[in-house]
Amino acid sequence: MSIDPKTGRYCDACGRSIVKAVRVHQAKDYCRSCYQTNFVRVTCSACQQPMREHLRAAGEPICKACLRNTRTCHRCHKFTPSAAKLVGQSAVCNACAPYFREPRPCTSCGRLSTRLSRPLFAGLQDQVCDSCRNRLTHATCSTCRRYRPVALRAEDDTPYCKDCIPNHEVTHPCPECQVTVPGGGAARCRACTNRTSIGRVASLIAAELEADWTRILWSAFVSEQLGGDSSNPTLIKLVERAAEFFRALDRSFSVPQDVTAKTLTAEFDSFFLRKHLLASRFVVTFLKLEGFDEERELATECRRFEAILARTSSEKYGALLASYAAQLINEGTAARTSRLYVQAAEAFCAHAKFDGSVPWLESRMIAHLKVLNGQRANVARFVSYCRKNRGWDVRIPAENLWKNDSRKTQGQLQELRKALRATAGVPDGALSTRAVGRVLSLALDVPAAQLLRERDSGQVVVNDDGAIKVTEHAVLTADDPLYRYARRWADLSRRS
């Protein structure tokens, strides 16, 4: 269409203004006079009927009727007698027309789309996209849980599709087993679908296995699963996941005689066996492997035991833990018990920042047991080992020094936080006896009156290495968070 901004539409041949073109040819408008001049009378080469063709047209003349009956879509090449859109001289069918439209925003959701329409049935004049249009007519059926056109909405707005309307449900027999299947059509039941799908998957996986005995195991496993709840919708995923275990079994063992409870747990770690618990249990039962649970637990504990030693080998206390672990094994201690003993010793060494060369301070053990008082028995074995084999004067502190009522401890923690906040911005030299005594009393769980008595009697001592003995069982070093208050307590002790 040729349009001038000032004069409007005009003829492309003579340039005169026109209201309506008599003929549009190759995107050019022709008025009546120019049409008769530029289009001559000829005979259609297909139907032999008279027609008009442009005098400079190339090729055999074909009338519009014959052209429509033989043209195909420019995009999909399907027969297109009725064009939805013209792209140059080519026609485009209804299905392909959106691919040649400019995307425009949906008036409902604002997303750009080439598929806009007016849902007049809903009383809307604005153009909306297909998603917004479908929301007016479609929903997930409350019975079959499929996204379908809504045939009925209950009083509580519950949607139903046409096959699930209450008291008018549609069913059909499964074409293979004749079991009643909800809905119309000729779909098979879930059990028949599973048997076909799993059979196809099982055949492909069996072809991957090299040994005959693993293929027999795999076939027996699949048959057992299908013999159970074959209508389980997740059954095919379960079988596909179990295939990983049988592939690993085929790679790791050449003959079934090599598969024992000990070799199975040695080859596969506990995480892999738990991941494929169903498949591993089936193999154990099928091959009659005795003592599998005991071997798996033993292997798991040994791996955990080795992981602790490997993790602590680079620490300063690693050599001490290694010798401690070796003695536990030599004494015949059970694997799980040995692992718990070493794990408790590792937790104490890490918490107390223990280097393993000299005995630890009793205050470190008290602080550790206050946090993990349930490890007292396991740590006691490590303390005994250090006392007997290293000659250290170490022992488990008395329970009244570290074992407190949980409710009382929570209350003390709150009070300690308040006391620390009150002294946070105060210079060390300006801290009063009352403020320092309150912090130390709450942190060390020692009555304030006892702290004052021991301070006045000269029991507060500063060691050569800088550590400060506040009470008989509390020696604070420079790396302790309470060292600031201990130093001020020692200064106040010298003044008294």
Side-chain angles (χ1 to χ4, degrees):
M1 182 181 296
S2 302
I3 299 178
D4 186 271
K6 294 183 179 180
T7 60
R9 193 171 184 179
Y10 62 90
C11 174
D12 286 285
C14 64
R16 288 180 295 184
S17 298
I18 57 175
V19 177
K20 183 178 180 181
V22 176
R23 177 75 178 266
V24 179
H25 179 69
Q26 293 183 356
K28 292 183 178 181
D29 295 343
Y30 293 89
C31 63
R32 181 171 298 279
S33 175
C34 295
Y35 168 69
Q36 294 176 353
T37 304
N38 290 276
F39 291 83
V40 297
R41 295 182 182 276
V42 294
T43 302
C44 176
S45 60
C47 64
Q48 307 302 318
Q49 296 295 321
M51 59 168 288
R52 281 184 177 270
E53 179 70 297
H54 197 278
L55 55 84
R56 293 189 181 87
E60 296 290 335
I62 301 176
C63 66
K64 292 183 179 180
C66 293
L67 182 63
R68 284 194 298 268
N69 292 333
T70 58
R71 69 184 174 187
T72 57
C73 175
H74 175 71
R75 180 176 181 272
C76 66
H77 307 293
K78 292 182 180 179
F79 178 58
T80 311
S82 178
K85 188 176 181 63
L86 291 175
V87 180
Q89 294 298 310
S90 302
V92 178
C93 66
N94 285 323
C96 297
Y99 293 96
F100 297 91
R101 295 177 188 153
E102 285 291 332
R104 290 180 296 168
C106 171
T107 57
S108 177
C109 64
R111 290 180 297 181
L112 293 177
S113 175
T114 59
R115 300 176 181 272
L116 300 179
S117 59
R118 293 183 177 88
L120 300 177
F121 62 87
L124 298 178
Q125 296 293 330
D126 297 329
Q127 291 186 334
V128 297
C129 63
D130 288 347
S131 297
C132 296
R133 180 189 178 96
N134 286 340
R135 274 195 285 270
L136 300 173
T137 58
H138 291 60
T140 301
C141 177
S142 59
T143 300
C144 65
R145 309 307 300 168
R146 294 175 179 171
Y147 192 69
R148 293 286 187 269
V150 178
L152 175 69
R153 287 188 181 272
E155 294 180 358
D156 58 351
D157 203 35
T158 302
Y160 295 95
C161 66
K162 65 177 182 177
D163 292 338
C164 299
I165 297 176
N167 302 322
H168 295 85
E169 293 87 354
V170 177
T171 60
H172 70 276
C174 173
E176 292 187 8
C177 64
Q178 304 304 312
V179 172
T180 300
V181 181
R188 295 180 299 169
C189 65
R190 173 63 66 178
C192 292
T193 303
N194 277 346
R195 279 191 289 269
T196 302
S197 302
I198 292 174
R200 187 183 304 112
V201 171
S203 299
L204 294 174
I205 294 172
E208 299 177 15
L209 303 177
E210 296 182 0
D212 292 336
W213 65 275
T214 50
R215 283 195 289 269
I216 294 173
L217 272 176
W218 168 248
S219 300
F221 173 77
V222 173
S223 299
E224 181 180 274
Q225 301 310 311
L226 289 175
D229 184 13
S230 58
S231 61
N232 184 357
T234 63
L235 187 59
I236 186 170
K237 292 184 180 180
L238 184 148
V239 172
E240 289 176 342
R241 186 164 57 248
E244 181 185 357
F245 179 81
F246 287 91
R247 292 192 190 100
L249 196 69
D250 185 66
R251 291 192 302 267
S252 303
F253 301 97
S254 55
V255 292
Q257 289 76 14
D258 293 341
V259 184
T260 62
K262 189 172 184 178
T263 57
L264 193 64
T265 53
E267 185 67 27
F268 305 131
D269 58 22
S270 57
F271 175 79
F272 187 79
L273 293 174
R274 282 198 308 272
K275 178 182 177 182
H276 301 289
L277 183 61
L278 187 66
S280 60
R281 287 292 181 188
F282 171 80
V283 171
V284 169
T285 304
F286 191 89
L287 297 180
K288 300 179 180 179
L289 305 181
E290 300 292 337
F292 172 75
D293 290 336
E294 292 78 5
E295 288 292 341
R296 186 183 66 172
E297 183 178 354
L298 178 61
T300 301
E301 292 299 337
C302 290
R303 289 190 180 97
R304 292 177 178 175
F305 194 80
E306 294 169 359
I308 294 174
L309 297 181
R311 184 169 62 243
T312 58
S313 60
S314 59
E315 301 291 341
K316 294 181 180 180
Y317 52 82
L320 177 62
L321 287 185
S323 61
Y324 175 49
Q327 177 166 321
L328 291 174
I329 295 174
N330 294 334
E331 292 176 354
T333 309
R336 185 173 186 275
T337 305
S338 299
R339 192 261 300 174
L340 292 175
Y341 282 159
V342 175
Q343 189 173 353
E346 178 203 8
F348 166 67
C349 293
H351 183 261
K353 298 179 181 179
F354 177 54
D355 61 2
S357 59
V358 294
W360 58 83
L361 298 175
E362 189 177 32
S363 60
R364 300 294 179 85
M365 180 62 75
I366 293 174
H368 176 70
L369 292 178
K370 281 185 176 182
V371 178
L372 299 173
N373 53 28
Q375 292 191 358
R376 188 262 181 203
N378 290 345
V379 175
R381 184 70 177 265
F382 178 65
V383 173
S384 299
Y385 168 80
C386 293
R387 187 169 56 250
K388 293 179 181 178
N389 294 272
R390 293 297 180 95
W392 294 346
D393 184 17
V394 291
R395 59 184 53 82
I396 295 293
E399 287 191 4
N400 64 332
L401 298 176
W402 52 268
K403 194 171 185 180
N404 299 307
D405 181 75
S406 60
R407 289 172 296 179
K408 179 181 177 182
T409 303
Q410 291 296 326
Q412 287 179 335
L413 287 175
Q414 293 180 2
E415 292 296 326
L416 178 60
R417 292 190 188 99
K418 293 180 181 179
L420 291 173
R421 283 196 295 268
T423 59
V426 181
D428 292 353
L431 290 173
S432 64
T433 300
R434 179 183 179 85
V436 176
R438 180 171 175 77
V439 171
L440 293 177
S441 173
L442 292 170
L444 303 177
D445 196 19
V446 178
Q450 180 181 341
L451 285 175
L452 287 172
R453 284 197 303 271
E454 293 183 2
R455 190 196 71 173
D456 296 341
S457 61
Q459 294 186 25
V460 179
V461 179
V462 181
N463 298 332
D464 295 337
D465 58 355
I468 300 174
K469 180 182 177 183
V470 179
T471 67
E472 181 181 357
H473 300 289
V475 179
L476 304 181
T477 57
D479 59 347
D480 196 294
L482 297 175
Y483 187 74
R484 170 199 179 195
Y485 301 96
R487 186 174 61 240
R488 177 59 177 167
W489 191 249
D491 293 342
L492 294 171
S493 174
R494 286 191 289 269
R495 297 179 184 180
S496 60

